[in-house]
């Protein structure tokens, strides 16, 4: 839109200036590359993802006003999570990998990008390289993310530069309309005009993505399910599509006349883009977790 400008948002640099090593150095290096590429960007704390783009309203001071009004900001439908291979390894080991993907899927933005940077010491990490490569493939094939591989920080900055220019052209002639996150489903159904984009405000998006905000029963149930070995975010979402709380699942189990029926209750639930069944093994595991009285053997 010609009444707004586009800006890339980046994560903040934390702590004092450090020697040229570690994550803080890589952030500074990325910022330097974006400046070199003449990309307009802001550094802010994002509660989900590492990079996203906002359309910022152009405002002008009126005669007699001390300060110009604060410009409104709308989040474009793209979010990027950046991981170097050693970061990816650490996030798989400590469980952040699945949680971050799950939160990105629920953030309200449809185009989710996983930006994976290579590192020279990948063969010396705590997980085999084959495990990391499989995790990357699953992120694209199973979770439906777009995966972009880069060799270093400079190449990552080049990708963000290209994306910024692409989005500037994509949204240039479009009319941008704001929508609250709870209204997003209804707004999307009304988005029939290709020249009109219905987008979240930045404040609503970022507050909705806060990790420590009060969680709904559905979100707590999803986190419970994801603690089960083999239940990915995609599979948890599929189960939630049928049973949105522990109570609704327990009610369904109680309606099953036999133990076999309980064990097979979830087996045919379709999961993810591939629409594969959850399967009898995972269905049985979930039923044992919720239906077994006392500690599991």
């Amino acid at each position: 839109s010609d009444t707004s400008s586009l800006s890339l948002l980046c994560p903040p640099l934390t702590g004092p200036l450090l020697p040229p090593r570690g994550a803080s150095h890589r952030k500074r290096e990325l910022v330097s590359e974006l400046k070199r590429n003449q990309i307009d960007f802001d550094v802010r704390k994002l509660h989900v993802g590492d990079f996203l783009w906002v359309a910022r309203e152009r405002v002008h001071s009126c005669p007699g006003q001390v300060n110009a009004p604060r410009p409104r900001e709308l989040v474009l439908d793209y979010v990027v999570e950046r991981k170097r291979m050693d970061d990816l390894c650490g996030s798989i080991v400590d469980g952040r990998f699945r949680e971050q993907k799950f939160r990105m899927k629920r953030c309200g933005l449809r185009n989710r990008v996983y930006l994976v940077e290579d590192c020279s010491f990948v063969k010396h990490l705590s997980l085999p390289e084959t495990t990391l490569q499989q995790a990357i493939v699953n992120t694209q094939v199973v979770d439906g993310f777009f995966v972009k591989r880069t060799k270093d920080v400079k190449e990552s900055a080049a990708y963000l530069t290209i994306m910024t220019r692409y989005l500037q052209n994509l949204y240039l002639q479009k009319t941008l309309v704001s929508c609250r996150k709870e209204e997003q489903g209804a707004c999307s159904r009304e988005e029939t005009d290709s020249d009109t984009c219905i987008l979240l405000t930045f404040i609503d998006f970022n507050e909705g993505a806060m990790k420590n905000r009060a969680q709904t029963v559905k979100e707590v149930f999803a986190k419970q399910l994801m603690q089960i070995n083999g239940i990915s975010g995609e599979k948890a979402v599929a189960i939630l599509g049928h049973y949105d709380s522990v109570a609704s699942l327990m009610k369904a189990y109680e309606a099953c006349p036999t133990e076999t029926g309980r064990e097979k209750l979830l087996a045919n639930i379709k999961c993810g883009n591939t629409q594969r069944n959850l399967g009898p093994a995972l269905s049985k595991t979930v039923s044992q977790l919720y239906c077994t009285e006392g500690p599991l053997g």
Side-chain angles (χ1 to χ4, degrees):
S1 169
D2 57 7
T3 60
S4 63
S5 61
L6 184 142
S7 183
L8 170 68
L9 300 191
C10 305
L13 302 174
T14 55
L17 291 177
L18 299 173
R21 62 176 182 270
S24 292
H25 167 66
R26 295 202 303 274
K27 288 179 183 178
R28 287 196 295 274
E29 190 178 349
L30 183 80
V31 165
S32 297
E33 288 294 328
L34 291 174
K35 287 179 180 176
R36 188 175 293 113
N37 294 343
Q38 298 182 323
I39 293 299
D40 180 26
F41 65 89
D42 282 352
V43 176
R44 299 188 200 174
K45 182 175 182 180
L46 301 176
H47 295 301
V48 65
D50 287 318
F51 305 96
L52 54 81
W53 290 264
V54 296
R56 184 180 297 116
E57 181 184 25
R58 289 196 178 100
V59 294
H60 306 282
S61 295
C62 297
Q65 277 188 320
V66 177
N67 298 311
R70 187 174 181 178
R72 292 174 292 181
E73 293 179 325
L74 299 180
V75 181
L76 305 190
D77 218 359
Y78 293 77
V79 60
V80 178
E81 177 75 22
R82 176 192 177 206
K83 284 274 190 288
R84 201 169 74 170
M85 288 293 272
D86 53 328
D87 300 328
L88 177 64
C89 178
S91 69
I92 292 172
V93 170
D94 65 20
R96 286 180 293 118
F97 180 59
R98 288 204 302 171
E99 187 200 6
Q100 286 172 341
K101 288 194 295 183
F102 180 73
R103 292 175 63 229
M104 283 181 74
K105 289 178 188 177
R106 300 181 68 82
C107 75
L109 304 183
R110 285 172 288 195
N111 299 288
R112 300 174 290 268
V113 179
Y114 230 82
L115 179 60
V116 182
E117 278 178 25
D118 291 333
C119 67
S120 59
F121 48 91
V122 67
K123 296 186 185 301
H124 304 290
L125 299 175
S126 59
L127 293 177
E129 187 177 0
T130 53
T131 300
L132 301 179
Q133 299 294 356
Q134 187 62 56
I136 293 168
V137 170
N138 289 347
T139 298
Q140 180 153 346
V141 176
V142 178
D143 297 305
F145 286 55
F146 175 77
V147 174
K148 174 64 179 177
R149 301 289 299 270
T150 61
K151 65 180 181 181
D152 53 26
V153 172
K154 189 171 183 177
E155 202 167 277
S156 295
Y159 173 72
L160 294 170
T161 299
I162 292 168
M163 277 296 296
T164 301
R165 290 172 182 159
Y166 164 73
L167 293 174
Q168 283 171 333
N169 290 328
L170 180 66
Y171 285 90
L172 182 63
Q173 300 300 329
K174 294 186 182 293
T175 300
L176 308 183
V177 180
S178 67
C179 176
R180 293 190 61 80
K181 191 169 184 181
E182 58 266 24
E183 303 165 343
Q184 201 171 24
C187 290
S188 296
R189 288 191 291 272
E190 294 174 8
E191 194 177 6
T192 55
D193 183 357
S194 60
D195 292 328
T196 300
C197 293
I198 300 174
L199 304 171
L200 295 172
T201 66
F202 174 73
I203 292 174
D204 194 41
F205 164 82
N206 215 30
E207 287 180 353
M210 285 182 68
K211 205 170 183 179
N212 295 325
R213 65 183 171 83
Q215 294 181 325
T216 65
V217 170
K218 194 171 184 177
E219 288 170 331
V220 172
F221 183 33
K223 286 195 171 184
Q224 281 185 6
L225 289 170
M226 288 172 62
Q227 300 311 306
I228 300 171
N229 189 30
I231 300 286
S232 63
E234 199 76 53
K235 290 173 181 175
V237 169
I239 295 171
L240 289 172
H242 292 77
Y243 308 101
D244 61 0
S245 66
V246 175
S248 65
L249 179 61
M250 292 304 297
K251 188 174 180 180
Y253 280 137
E254 289 167 7
C256 294
T258 64
E259 182 178 349
T260 302
R262 289 191 292 273
E263 290 176 353
K264 294 181 178 179
L265 178 67
L266 308 179
N268 294 323
I269 288 179
K270 306 294 182 184
C271 304
N273 295 333
T274 59
Q275 289 295 286
R276 293 179 63 180
N277 289 342
L278 184 71
L282 279 176
S283 179
K284 182 177 180 179
T285 299
V286 176
S287 73
Q288 288 176 336
L289 175 65
Y290 287 105
C291 299
T292 301
E293 295 183 8
L296 293 172

